[in-house]
């Protein structure tokens, strides 16, 4: 079976179109996947970048907190304290920590002695009215939790006596001397330069303090109670009596959260000249260190330092409020989800054993997934639309090829038919011409031979006219000149001219046309049409019984 050009063209176009579409789909889908991956990982990358930034900010925040607390004197961790700058005076004042932490990240301050006894600056066991009243229940719970969770873990071991600032050295400092002469009362202690030396931060400090200040800080509650109960202080004429303040049992204090409130008035002691030893007492304060401890059954960040005094070692520090940290992170995490985790991660470490884990918000991930799906949808729609357009274009090309092939086939058939039509009149012309030229045939029929030659010439002219008309029709320049005329008269005239030839061929022509029939027509075209019809009828009806 011979395959036509249309099928060849269809196959080639289908193969080319398939290759192009497959290549476009493969490369385009790879680009889609890359873009989808970019869309999907963008929230994760942004969360990671935000996590690193948040970790940096939180490290800075905790670093500032640690810097402030490193500079805090050890005696601030008790409810009452004596300022060492008020040299030569007797009197105590509430600790800055007695009303609760000023920093929102601190849950509370505490102090532990070697026996594991816990105190907090917001609670004064000896003088309950000095305790922070507004959050007393919370402060008591905090102290109880410090005792149960941190007491055994952080209680400092007993230190052997001896050396500078030890208990042996304090034998000289057991009392405060009597007043040598009365002086005007002061409401504020005399300002003198701080006695603490300048030392590098986050390193152990050797703090020297005068014995009078040390004794008053160690016995701050006793000082307060004696002065509060001494009626002699109510008389301006009688000089106040300075009590003996022999070093009693250790009674340090600590503190949790609270809001500054009105405190009981503490009458400042009347300044006195105090007999002191020439040798100051040395207090060793270790640097604060971050530790991860269980507090309330939850891993918690705790800052702890050791303080060595002549009367024993103390553990001081503060507990970081994990809830406040979570709120701090939530306010700065933006669209990400930030959580504190235990464990090491150098990129987001905020303290030893703690790191920040930041993940993309589920809503952001959902939006990224929708955007990634939209990328694929847009590509598929574009691919389908353009694929359909390309398939339609290929179909049109195949259709054009098919039409061209059909026209070529029709042209070939027409050429063959035209050649056949030309051969018949030419054969007649040649036959009758040869007979006339050679004097053959019946001399009486010479005119008949001439008529037949004329008829064959007319048929030949019609064939040539048809070929020319077909050629003009293909080129699109075939023109007609129609005009209104008598159609029955024209048909009768054409029939009369064709009738002799049909009679000689043994065919009869019967004309049935309405009289006075008018129409708009081209006479030449009508003559060609009628001539072709009669010729075909005569040729294809030769074997019919009724001609």
């Amino acid at each position: 079976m011979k395959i036509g050009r249309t099928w060849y063209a269809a196959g080639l176009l289908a193969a080319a179109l398939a290759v192009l579409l497959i290549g476009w789909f493969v490369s385009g889908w790879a680009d889609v996947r890359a873009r989808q991956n970019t869309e999907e990982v963008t929230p994760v990358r942004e969360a990671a970048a935000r996590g690193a930034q948040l970790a940096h900010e939180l490290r800075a925040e905790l670093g500032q907190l640690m810097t402030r607390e490193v500079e805090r004197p050890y005696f601030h961790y008790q409810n009452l304290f004596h300022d060492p700058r008020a040299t030569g005076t007797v009197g105590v004042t509430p600790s800055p920590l007695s009303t609760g932490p000023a920093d929102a990240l601190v849950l509370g301050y505490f102090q532990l002695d070697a026996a594991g006894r816990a105190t907090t600056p917001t609670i004064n066991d000896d003088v309950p009215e000095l305790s922070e009243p507004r959050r007393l229940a919370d402060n008591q719970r905090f102290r109880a939790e410090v005792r149960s969770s941190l007491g055994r873990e952080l209680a400092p071991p007993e230190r052997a006596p001896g050396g500078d600032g030890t208990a042996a050295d304090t034998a000289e400092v057991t009392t405060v001397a009597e007043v040598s002469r009365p002086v005007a009362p002061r409401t504020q202690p005399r300002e003198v330069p701080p006695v603490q030396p300048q030392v590098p931060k986050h390193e152990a400090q050797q703090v020297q303090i005068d014995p009078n200040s040390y004794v008053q800080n160690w016995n701050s509650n006793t000082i307060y109670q004696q002065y509060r109960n001494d009626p002699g202080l109510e008389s301006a004429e009688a000089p106040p009596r300075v009590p003996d303040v022999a070093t009693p049992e250790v009674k340090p204090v600590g503190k949790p959260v609270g809001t500054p409130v009105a405190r009981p008035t503490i009458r400042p002691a009347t300044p006195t000249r105090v007999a002191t030893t020439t040798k100051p007492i040395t207090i060793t304060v270790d640097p604060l260190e971050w530790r991860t401890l269980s507090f309330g059954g939850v891993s918690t960040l705790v800052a702890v330092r050791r303080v060595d005094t002549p009367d024993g070692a103390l553990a001081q520090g503060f507990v970081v409020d994990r809830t406040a940290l979570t709120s701090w992170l939530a306010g700065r995490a933006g669209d990400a989800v930030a959580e504190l985790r235990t464990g090491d991660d150098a990129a987001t470490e905020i303290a030893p054993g703690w790191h920040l884990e930041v993940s993309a918000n589920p809503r952001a991930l959902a939006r990224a997934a929708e955007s990634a799906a939209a990328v694929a949808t847009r590509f598929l729609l574009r691919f389908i639309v353009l694929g359909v357009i390309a398939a339609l274009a290929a179909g049109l090309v195949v259709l054009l090829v098919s039409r061209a092939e059909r026209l070529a086939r029709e042209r070939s058939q027409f050429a063959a038919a035209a050649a056949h039509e030309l051969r018949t009149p030419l054969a007649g012309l040649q036959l009758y011409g040869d007979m006339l030229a050679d004097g053959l045939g019946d001399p009486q029929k010479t005119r008949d031979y001439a008529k037949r030659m004329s008829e064959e010439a007319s048929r030949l002219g019609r064939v040539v006219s048809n070929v020319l008309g077909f050629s003009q029709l293909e080129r699109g320049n075939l023109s007609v000149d129609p005009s209104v005329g008598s159609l029955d008269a024209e048909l009768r005239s054409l029939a009369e001219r064709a009738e002799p030839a049909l009679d000689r061929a043994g065919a009869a022509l019967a004309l049935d046309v309405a009289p006075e029939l008018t129409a708009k027509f081209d006479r030449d075209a009508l003559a060609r049409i009628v001539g072709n019809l009669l010729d075909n009828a005569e040729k294809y009806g030769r074997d019919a019984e009724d001609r």
Side-chain angles (χ1 to χ4, degrees):
M1 180 179 178
K2 186 177 180 180
I3 300 176
R5 288 180 298 174
T6 301
W7 291 107
Y8 280 120
L12 289 175
L13 282 174
L17 188 61
V19 170
L20 290 176
L21 289 178
I22 292 174
W24 179 32
F25 183 84
V26 171
S27 62
W29 192 252
D31 180 65
V32 166
R33 294 303 302 162
R35 292 172 60 189
Q36 284 183 319
N37 184 65
T38 301
E39 291 285 348
E40 291 170 351
V41 303
T42 294
V44 178
R45 289 177 179 173
E46 291 177 351
R50 186 58 188 147
Q53 180 64 25
L54 272 179
H56 175 74
E57 294 176 4
L58 187 53
R59 280 196 299 269
E61 188 77 14
L62 292 176
Q64 293 174 4
L65 173 61
M66 182 68 84
T67 299
R68 290 193 297 270
E69 295 303 325
V70 163
E71 297 174 348
R72 187 179 297 283
Y74 79 95
F75 42 77
H76 280 186
Y77 281 77
Q78 57 198 39
N79 183 259
L80 297 172
F81 80 101
H82 174 80
D83 192 341
R85 293 176 298 182
T87 307
T89 64
V90 178
V92 292
T93 188
S95 167
L97 304 180
S98 62
T99 56
D103 196 300
L105 295 183
V106 177
L107 181 62
Y109 295 85
F110 65 87
Q111 181 172 271
L112 294 163
D113 62 14
R117 289 187 294 269
T119 57
T120 52
T122 54
I123 299 177
N124 192 319
D125 296 322
D126 296 333
V127 190
E129 63 268 22
L130 296 182
S131 299
E132 168 60 40
R134 293 189 178 183
R135 302 190 61 185
L136 183 60
D138 292 339
N139 294 336
Q140 289 173 341
R141 282 193 294 270
F142 175 79
R143 177 188 283 194
E145 193 59 49
V146 169
R147 186 184 301 111
S148 61
S149 298
L150 307 181
R152 184 181 299 274
E153 181 78 19
L154 298 181
E158 294 288 354
R159 181 176 54 79
D164 291 343
T166 63
D169 299 318
T170 64
E172 307 173 14
V173 190
T174 57
T175 63
V176 179
E178 296 291 333
V179 178
S180 60
R181 61 183 178 86
V183 295
R186 291 176 180 265
T187 59
Q188 296 292 336
R190 181 164 48 92
E191 294 292 336
V192 295
V195 298
Q196 295 188 14
Q198 298 294 325
V199 296
K201 296 179 181 179
H202 307 298
E203 295 182 2
Q205 305 178 35
Q206 297 289 331
V207 180
Q208 293 186 339
I209 186 171
D210 66 278
N212 176 56
S213 297
Y214 173 76
V215 171
Q216 292 190 66
N217 275 312
W218 197 259
N219 301 278
S220 58
N221 286 345
T222 302
I223 296 293
Y224 174 76
Q225 290 173 324
Q226 288 180 350
Y227 272 79
R228 182 186 62 178
N229 298 326
D230 191 343
L233 292 177
E234 301 298 328
S235 171
E237 298 178 359
R241 181 175 59 84
V242 181
D244 293 340
V245 286
T247 303
E249 181 184 358
V250 177
K251 294 183 179 180
V253 196
K255 121 157 202 25
V257 195
T259 306
V261 296
R263 306 307 306 272
T265 302
I266 301 176
R267 184 184 300 277
T270 303
T272 62
R273 291 182 180 179
V274 180
T276 62
T277 63
T278 57
K279 190 172 184 181
I281 294 176
T282 299
I283 308 296
T284 301
V285 182
D286 288 345
L288 281 167
E289 294 181 351
W290 290 118
R291 295 184 63 179
T292 302
L293 301 172
S294 177
F295 189 83
V298 179
S299 295
T300 306
L301 193 60
V302 181
V304 185
R305 70 181 178 186
R306 176 188 173 100
V307 178
D308 286 319
T309 72
D311 291 278
L314 302 172
Q316 295 179 340
F318 59 89
V319 179
V320 174
D321 190 344
R322 190 164 181 175
T323 301
L325 271 182
T326 302
S327 300
W328 187 93
L329 290 172
R332 292 165 174 79
D335 203 29
V337 178
E339 294 180 303
L340 288 172
R341 302 285 187 184
T342 56
D344 296 326
D345 188 338
T348 59
E349 184 184 52
I350 61 168
W354 287 84
H355 72 277
L356 193 62
E357 188 173 289
V358 180
S359 58
N361 191 293
R363 292 190 301 273
L365 292 175
R367 289 195 297 269
E370 291 176 359
S371 180
V375 170
T377 301
R378 288 194 297 268
F379 171 77
L380 290 175
L381 287 176
R382 188 167 58 250
F383 177 81
I384 292 172
V385 170
L386 294 181
V388 169
I389 293 174
L392 290 176
L396 290 175
V397 171
V398 172
L399 182 62
L400 291 175
V401 172
S402 174
R403 184 177 179 183
E405 185 180 19
R406 187 179 71 252
L407 291 175
R409 186 166 56 251
E410 291 176 352
R411 188 180 296 111
S412 176
Q413 293 172 354
F414 177 78
H420 178 71
E421 292 295 331
L422 289 173
R423 189 180 300 113
T424 300
L426 285 175
L429 286 174
Q430 185 176 9
L431 173 63
Y432 291 114
D434 290 342
M435 289 175 63
L436 292 174
D438 296 335
L440 300 176
D442 188 355
Q444 300 296 328
K445 296 183 178 180
T446 301
R447 289 186 63 187
D448 186 44
Y449 295 155
K451 266 190 175 182
R452 291 196 177 188
M453 290 180 66
S454 176
E455 291 170 0
E456 295 297 337
S458 296
R459 178 181 291 183
L460 181 61
R462 285 195 297 272
V463 173
V464 173
S465 178
N466 287 335
V467 172
L468 292 176
F470 181 78
S471 177
Q472 290 174 347
L473 184 63
E474 273 198 323
R475 293 196 302 270
N477 57 1
L478 179 65
S479 62
V480 294
D481 184 19
S483 61
V484 179
S486 177
L487 185 58
D488 64 317
E490 188 67 25
L491 290 175
R492 291 179 191 282
S493 174
L494 293 175
E496 288 175 359
R497 287 200 297 268
E499 190 171 8
L502 293 174
D503 286 340
R504 283 189 294 272
L509 176 62
L511 180 63
D512 183 10
V513 58
E516 300 181 358
L517 179 64
T518 59
K520 189 175 183 180
F521 58 92
D522 185 294
R523 285 175 171 76
D524 294 335
L526 181 61
R528 287 198 300 272
I529 293 171
V530 172
N532 289 333
L533 289 175
L534 293 177
D535 283 343
N536 289 332
E538 186 276 327
K539 180 173 63 176
Y540 294 107
R542 288 174 184 172
D543 297 330
E545 295 180 0
D546 183 5
R547 299 190 68 206

